[in-house]
Structure formats: C-alpha cells, structure tokens
Amino acid sequence: MHMDNTQSENISLSYLQPSDYKALKAAMIEAYRSMPGSFWAESQIETLITKFPAGQVVIKINDQLAGCALSIIVDDAELEGEHTYKDITTNFTFENHNDSGDMLYGIDVFIKPEFRGLRLGRRLYDYRKELCEKLNLKGIVFGGRIPNYHKYADQMGPKEYLEKVKLKEIYDPVLNFQLANDFHPARIMKNYLEGDSASSEFAVLLEWNNIFYEKPNKEASTNKTIVRLGLIQWQMRLYDNLDELMQQAEYFIDAVSGYRSDFALFPELFNAPLMAEFNHLSEAQAVRGLAKYTDEIVKRFGQLSVSYNINIITGSMPMVKNDKLYNVGYLCKRDGSIESYEKLHISPLEAKVWGMQGGNILKSFDTDCGKIGILICYDVEFPELSRLLANEGMDILFVPFLTDTQNGYSRVRNCAMARAIENECYVAMAGSVGNLPKVHNMDMQYAQSMVITPCDFPFPSNGIKAEATPNNEMTLIADVDISLLRELNQFGSVQNLKDRRTDLFDLRKKTTRKKKS
C-alpha cells in the first residue's frame, strides 16, 4: 500500500512519527475509555518507531489522527506455548522484536470512536497483510480481546463463547471484525491482558497466514510462480524404427524448449506406431512387444530433459513387470532424475484386448516448478485420485490421454474441467491425433489438447486457458500463474478445498502391504 492519499482526497495512511504522539495519546485515551490509563508512553512509541518504523502506521482524516496500528516481528517459536501481552512485548520494552523473525505480531490497533463505520480498520489490516507479504513473513498473529464476554461469563466458558460468535449467535465487535478480515482463531489464552475486565482477561489468539510465504533457502533456488507448459498434440504415423520416432519426439521438445517451456507433455501411448512391427502377432502379444522399447525410450527422454533443460512427462508406455502388463509413464526432470507413475484404472478395452493390469502407486511429484500430479487418461474420471493429490499440495495436474472417439474425448475433457474446479489446480491434457491403419486396436484417434483453469475471477470465465485445434498435429504453449491458486484458495468466490465437510467424510490412501512370498 502506498504511503499517500490516493484512495480518498481526505484520507491518508502514513508511518507514525514522534511528532504524532500528542494526538496519538489523546486518541488512545478516547478509544480505550473502558480501560483507564491504557495508553503508550512517549518513550515506548519512540522505541517502536526506532526498532521497526514500517510496522507503525496511522490513518489521518483531514490531517486529524483517526486510527493507528502498531506491530513487531517475532519468531514463530515464541508463540508455541502460552503467553501474555506482557510476555510478548518483553514487559512493554519490545526487546524481543527481531528483524529476522518470521511472524508479524499485532501490538495494538484502534480507530477513534467518531471515525468508526468508515472501514478504516480494514485499511490498517490490509496494510499489515501487504507488509507481511513484502517482508516474506509466515503470517500475522495477535491476541484479540473479547469485550462482550463479561456479559456471558456466568453462562459459558470462553471457548463456547467463541463458537457462538462464529455462528453469529452472539455479537462481539472486536472478534466479529477479525473474523471478517480473514483471521482465524488458534486458541484461547488466559490472563492475557491485565485489567481487561470486559474480556475477563481472556483473549483469542488470532492468525492470518501469508499464502505467498516462501521458506528461506540458502541454496540457489529455481522455484517459479509463472510456469510455462508445452503440450504436444502428437500425430500418429508409422515409423521405420525407434530412432525415427525419437527424432520426431526431439523435434517437439526442441520446439517447446525454444520458448523456454518448463514442461513438455506427451500423450498416452504415443509410441504405439512402433507396434506395427508386431502386427502379425495377437494384440496382447503385440503390445508386449512394444513394451521392449520402453527402457530405451525412457533413457533417451532422460538425456533430452537435461540437454534441453526441460521437465518431460513422457505420456505413457506399456511395461512388463513380473510377467504382468502395465501402462506406465515417466517424469524426466531437468536435474537428471527420473520418476515413474502408473495408470491405476484400466479401461475395459485395455483389459479385454491387451490383458493390461492397473498399477498401485499414486503420488505427487516435487519439481522446480512446484508440486504436480499425473493421471493417465481414464484415471482422471475418478475424482478421488486427484483429490488425494490435491491434499498433498498439487498445483498442476497433467493428463496424458488417448481417445479414439469424440465421446471418449469428451469424458476425459469434462472430468478434467471438474478436477480443476474442485481441487483449485491447473490441468494440462495432451492427446494424439490421426490414425494407424497398420496397428490393430489403434485405428484412429481424436484429441484437442488444452490447459484448464478453475472458474473464478482471476481465470478465464470458461475455465480454458488455451486449447489446440482439434485433430491437428501441433504444440500448445501456455503460462499458468501459481500465485493465482493461492489467492483463489484464500479469497475465491467459492472455496472448494476449504469448504469440504471433513466432519462428515474422510478420504485417505490405504496402506499397501507386500504379500509374503
């Protein structure tokens, strides 16, 4: 927030100055009429200004002081146990203020009675939030008074009082204001502010979490908030050998990395053209023949990811393990590491024609662009999988797919759009187009690759960030802003993740046990 009066001709927000003390003292006496003598000494204000000038601000109307907010920075560890107002201010000396701390602690905030109703308090809290983000602090915390509690103290404890205020059954001017400003109660504190008889000396520890906080990293970090996705809408065509297929794959990787894409996404079973070599065999034997190429393809993708400095999601390929056939893909990171993912739900045709088995591993992946998830085609039609990944912090869900008809494609697309909304994440889906007349069970393909977003104000109204031309071989490159997901989670018109009724239901992975041999 800028230190000027651009928001209103007569309203200004500025740093507190020592010359403001006389007006500040008068304002405090007026604001705290129920607590006589509750004002800061001039020396204490001077100490705050010296230690942390950016934390002390005043609002003025026509140059008349109307409100004030005072704060210090403390270590999060100081808040783990019980503390009093006297403790947190080090006996009102503010000796514990620490420029290297990670939490902004609100010492005082008030608006003079004559200026209440102008939403000036909200401006002070907005300034604190912006300061918190600017300084990369974890959040804001303070002990909130409950000045109406004395009216109910003989009927209920402070915890029950807090619940009734949250349910709007009891009105508390301070607590209601804090809750309306996105602060959430952490716990009740006893004997917090000596002399606060209106609150029976109870207080509610209130917190606001900075969704943009980044844990300091002493190592060189490449984590990004704007992530560029390169989707490859792959044309199925016959290749004479593996080298030809990988030459085409490298062509696309070169193209999307030339635009500094962070990810290249290939479709499910993009290597199916190599199955023509085994077309004289049954479908089940032919796909197992194709699986013989998988290790070499993964090795080459791993080399390409490093040489082109791009994370490659290899779509998927058949793989034989313990004589069982699986549909498996690989995340080849640009740091040289490789991780695998499995198709968990096998379509009826895959099971019937190829004898394919469903995998057993569901996990999210840490990348230099945040946490991602990968679900192969049919898997995206099962909402439990992506919700489990969302619980692990997934920001982008990648969906390599292969569909032969527009019906099948529509199922994948519509489910992918639902996953973006319900999990507050981006979804990138890429498929194959064209036909393979010389490969049994892979005759034709239909695809329109796209990048999907949640449907709220920071995003496209139809939830589509970018889309390819249907059934044309091409690349699709789009940027997604991870910080917008944090804003959505905190301030969205609807908040799907926050509003889940976890008091009624639970979703968790089962622990798989290895069978004894």
Side-chain angles (χ1 to χ4, degrees):
M1 184 172 293
H2 298 292
M3 293 300 160
D4 57 29
N5 58 354
T6 55
Q7 290 185 334
S8 173
E9 186 178 352
N10 302 312
I11 300 177
S12 66
L13 179 66
S14 58
Y15 295 131
L16 178 63
Q17 303 296 327
S19 59
D20 291 319
Y21 180 72
K22 185 177 179 181
L24 179 67
K25 179 179 177 180
M28 284 188 287
I29 292 172
E30 191 174 348
Y32 296 124
R33 289 173 182 170
S34 63
M35 298 174 63
S38 296
F39 59 87
W40 295 105
E42 189 169 7
S43 60
Q44 292 171 318
I45 294 298
E46 289 176 351
T47 299
L48 279 172
I49 293 173
T50 301
K51 286 181 174 290
F52 186 29
Q56 328 310 325
V57 289
V58 290
I59 275 189
K60 295 181 180 179
I61 297 182
N62 296 329
D63 292 327
Q64 182 182 354
L65 194 145
C68 177
L70 310 174
S71 55
I72 59 175
I73 299 175
V74 300
D75 289 315
D76 193 19
E78 291 187 56
L79 309 175
E80 291 178 359
E82 290 292 326
H83 67 268
T84 67
Y85 192 62
K86 192 174 182 179
D87 293 333
I88 206 65
T89 59
T90 326
N91 199 20
F92 314 118
T93 64
F94 316 112
E95 288 297 325
N96 62 327
H97 168 75
N98 181 4
D99 286 326
S100 301
D102 50 17
M103 293 294 288
L104 189 72
Y105 199 102
I107 295 299
D108 202 350
V109 62
F110 66 86
I111 301 295
K112 287 178 69 176
E114 64 193 273
F115 296 114
R116 290 171 186 169
L118 298 178
R119 297 182 180 271
L120 301 181
R122 185 178 294 273
R123 295 194 190 206
L124 292 173
Y125 277 95
D126 286 346
Y127 170 77
R128 276 182 174 172
K129 291 173 182 177
E130 292 179 23
L131 178 64
C132 190
E133 292 169 4
K134 180 182 177 181
L135 298 178
N136 189 39
L137 303 177
K138 287 182 179 179
I140 304 170
V141 66
F142 58 88
R145 299 175 61 233
I146 44 176
N148 276 359
Y149 176 63
H150 67 280
K151 300 177 182 179
Y152 303 89
D154 59 343
Q155 304 170 35
M156 64 189 73
K159 186 175 181 181
E160 185 180 354
Y161 176 83
L162 172 61
E163 290 302 316
K164 288 187 177 293
V165 172
K166 289 166 64 176
L167 294 172
K168 311 295 185 186
E169 295 177 16
I170 292 177
Y171 174 74
D172 185 288
V174 175
L175 197 52
N176 279 99
F177 177 77
Q178 315 298 356
L179 296 174
N181 277 277
D182 304 313
F183 285 85
H184 61 272
R187 63 178 182 269
I188 302 289
M189 297 188 294
K190 299 178 181 178
N191 305 315
Y192 181 72
L193 179 58
E194 187 177 352
D196 183 11
S197 56
S199 305
S200 299
E201 295 190 356
F202 285 107
V204 179
L205 188 67
L206 291 155
E207 296 179 344
W208 176 83
N209 298 318
N210 176 14
I211 58 176
F212 301 109
Y213 172 73
E214 294 182 6
K215 187 175 181 179
N217 190 350
K218 294 182 181 179
E219 299 178 357
S221 175
T222 55
N223 283 344
K224 307 176 69 174
T225 57
I226 305 294
V227 180
R228 180 160 294 176
L229 310 179
L231 280 56
I232 294 149
Q233 189 156 283
W234 175 269
Q235 171 82 45
M236 289 293 196
R237 57 168 66 87
L238 294 177
Y239 298 94
D240 288 338
N241 51 52
L242 174 61
D243 288 339
E244 279 194 8
L245 180 129
M246 290 306 299
Q247 183 179 2
Q248 184 70 10
E250 183 174 359
Y251 162 77
F252 281 119
I253 292 170
D254 187 13
V256 298
S257 68
Y259 287 100
R260 299 179 63 85
S261 296
D262 297 295
F263 288 94
L265 173 63
F266 282 83
E268 177 186 23
L269 297 177
F270 78 98
N271 65 336
L274 296 179
M275 203 155 41
E277 177 187 345
F278 309 103
N279 216 31
H280 60 288
L281 304 173
S282 68
E283 286 95 332
Q285 291 175 310
V287 75
R288 286 173 175 263
L290 179 63
K292 296 176 182 178
Y293 287 111
T294 295
D295 287 344
E296 178 62 22
I297 292 175
V298 174
K299 177 183 175 182
R300 296 196 190 188
F301 268 128
Q303 295 168 344
L304 292 172
S305 66
V306 173
S307 60
Y308 284 95
N309 189 30
I310 190 170
N311 300 300
I312 300 174
I313 297 168
T314 67
S316 74
M317 294 164 271
M319 183 192 71
V320 177
K321 184 170 64 175
N322 296 329
D323 204 35
K324 292 184 178 179
L325 180 68
Y326 299 93
N327 191 345
V328 179
Y330 297 85
L331 169 61
C332 299
K333 299 182 187 179
R334 49 187 165 197
D335 66 1
S337 61
I338 298 175
E339 297 185 75
S340 66
Y341 50 89
E342 302 175 347
K343 189 171 186 178
L344 306 181
H345 296 86
I346 300 302
S347 70
L349 199 61
E350 286 174 300
K352 179 180 178 181
V353 177
W354 289 335
M356 199 166 267
Q357 308 273 321
N360 298 297
I361 299 174
L362 174 69
K363 62 179 180 178
S364 56
F365 301 93
D366 290 313
T367 74
D368 56 3
C369 299
K371 197 174 286 285
I372 69 166
I374 307 170
L375 296 177
I376 303 173
C377 198
Y378 193 30
D379 279 340
V380 80
E381 298 178 32
F382 297 84
E384 299 87 354
L385 301 185
S386 53
R387 176 49 55 85
L388 287 166
L389 295 175
N391 289 344
E392 295 178 6
M394 170 188 67
D395 291 319
I396 307 172
L397 174 62
F398 291 92
V399 182
F401 71 93
L402 176 67
T403 50
D404 56 351
T405 67
Q406 195 165 356
N407 291 343
Y409 165 74
S410 294
R411 288 193 295 270
V412 174
R413 167 183 164 153
N414 291 337
C415 289
M417 296 188 79
R419 304 296 86 86
I421 293 170
E422 66 197 13
N423 296 305
E424 298 176 0
C425 67
Y426 295 108
V427 180
M429 50 184 288
S432 296
V433 300
N435 54 72
L436 284 174
K438 293 187 178 181
V439 176
H440 294 313
N441 200 39
M442 295 291 295
D443 308 275
M444 55 186 180
Q445 288 77 39
Y446 181 94
Q448 183 180 19
S449 304
M450 63 178 56
V451 176
I452 300 165
T453 74
C455 295
D456 214 320
F457 293 117
F459 309 98
S461 57
N462 63 355
I464 299 174
K465 173 75 175 180
E467 56 187 341
T469 304
N471 277 2
N472 279 8
E473 183 175 46
M474 63 181 291
T475 61
L476 181 67
I477 297 175
D479 288 347
V480 294
D481 188 344
I482 303 301
S483 67
L484 292 180
L485 299 178
R486 305 291 177 266
E487 290 186 26
L488 175 70
N489 178 262
Q490 195 79 13
F491 308 115
S493 301
V494 294
Q495 299 173 355
N496 294 79
L497 290 178
K498 277 188 176 181
D499 292 341
R500 288 172 294 170
R501 289 293 304 275
T502 53
D503 57 322
L504 298 179
F505 57 82
D506 189 20
L507 180 66
R508 62 185 182 278
K509 294 180 186 177
K510 288 186 176 180
T511 303
T512 54
R513 296 180 180 177
K514 293 183 179 180
K515 294 180 180 179
K516 294 181 180 180
S517 56

